[in-house]
Amino acid sequence: MCAENIFVDELSIEPCHKTMTMTFQKGLNYLKGQNGSGKTMLLDYVAGIRNDQKQRISGNENIVYINQNIFFADRLTGTDFVKFVYRLDNKSREREKFFEFTEKFDIDKKVDVKTLMEKQWGLLSGGERKYLYSMVLLSLDREWYILDEPFAYLDTEKKEILWKVIEAFASEGKGVILTSHEEEYVFY
């Protein structure tokens, strides 16, 4: 059984000279702060990318982390990215499962995801790459979704679709931790 909350207990983030204690509850959790205030570093710890030797974080066993950095080979296609992610997650029928997710949220009615998946990663614009990256990772079934600046580089239409998915997850009882400088989507 998954923990309801994620607990951070006196986590010391040295570069920012901060010690943090907090609880993230299921639903939408919004982290606000200026650039360089340690939001991304905190999310890296919560996601397990950075290691806390003292195990000061618990409840983060079933998460997906959508960070700001997107690394994938430029010559591979969006479909290759879907296959890569789903195989890491031990899922089969990658394309079908991803399209089931896009149909659930009527994503294909506004954005031609199939065309994005046929393009090479390096030929996608920054916004297209960020959108496809986010949608593929959001299609994984997790208890918690951690999103660091998910609206960056997205046009208004893609921001609205992404926000629709985030709202749905929060209302379904999933946990969402979100940082954004675009508050209009957080308080939509």
Side-chain angles (χ1 to χ4, degrees), residues 14-181:
E14 292 303 323
C16 302
H17 307 291
K18 293 183 180 182
T19 300
M20 299 183 184
T21 297
M22 60 186 63
T23 300
F24 295 106
Q25 298 179 345
K26 292 284 179 92
L28 181 61
N29 297 269
Y30 173 57
L31 296 176
K32 181 178 179 178
Q34 296 177 338
N35 291 338
S37 64
K39 298 180 306 293
T40 295
M41 199 169 293
L42 171 63
L43 295 182
D44 287 350
Y45 277 106
V46 171
I49 290 176
R50 292 181 185 266
N51 194 4
D52 176 19
Q53 297 297 327
K54 297 175 186 162
Q55 291 293 25
R56 300 210 181 263
I57 300 172
S58 61
N60 60 341
E61 297 83 19
N62 191 325
I63 65 166
V64 66
Y65 181 28
I66 302 171
N67 62 5
Q68 294 184 50
N69 303 313
I70 304 168
F71 300 107
F72 199 64
D74 284 348
R75 295 187 70 191
L76 297 174
T77 65
T79 296
D80 295 324
F81 180 68
V82 171
K83 288 179 181 179
F84 173 76
V85 168
Y86 274 63
R87 287 189 182 149
L88 286 176
D89 202 43
N90 293 318
K91 302 271 191 263
S92 59
R93 296 181 30 247
E94 303 91 5
R95 284 180 61 97
E96 294 96 19
K97 289 192 185 247
F98 180 63
F99 286 125
E100 286 172 14
F101 172 80
T102 62
E103 288 172 15
K104 176 181 175 182
F105 291 101
D106 295 324
I107 292 169
D108 246 357
K109 291 181 181 172
K110 293 187 177 184
V111 177
D112 187 0
V113 175
K114 290 177 182 152
T115 299
L116 295 179
M117 289 179 60
E118 292 169 3
K119 284 185 174 182
Q120 287 183 336
W121 198 255
L123 297 178
L124 295 170
S125 72
E128 289 173 325
R129 194 176 303 145
K130 176 78 174 218
Y131 179 75
L132 188 57
Y133 171 75
S134 298
M135 286 297 124
V136 170
L137 293 176
L138 286 169
S139 75
L140 299 175
D141 185 26
R142 294 293 190 276
E143 288 297 312
W144 285 91
Y145 298 87
I146 302 173
L147 300 99
D148 190 12
E149 295 294 339
F151 304 113
Y153 308 113
L154 298 183
D155 60 38
T156 302
E157 186 174 59
K158 290 176 184 70
K159 287 177 187 178
E160 289 172 358
I161 294 168
L162 180 59
W163 182 244
K164 179 181 175 182
V165 173
I166 291 168
E167 278 186 315
F169 284 174
S171 69
E172 292 169 4
K174 303 281 186 177
V176 178
I177 303 172
L178 169 73
T179 66
S180 179
H181 291 288

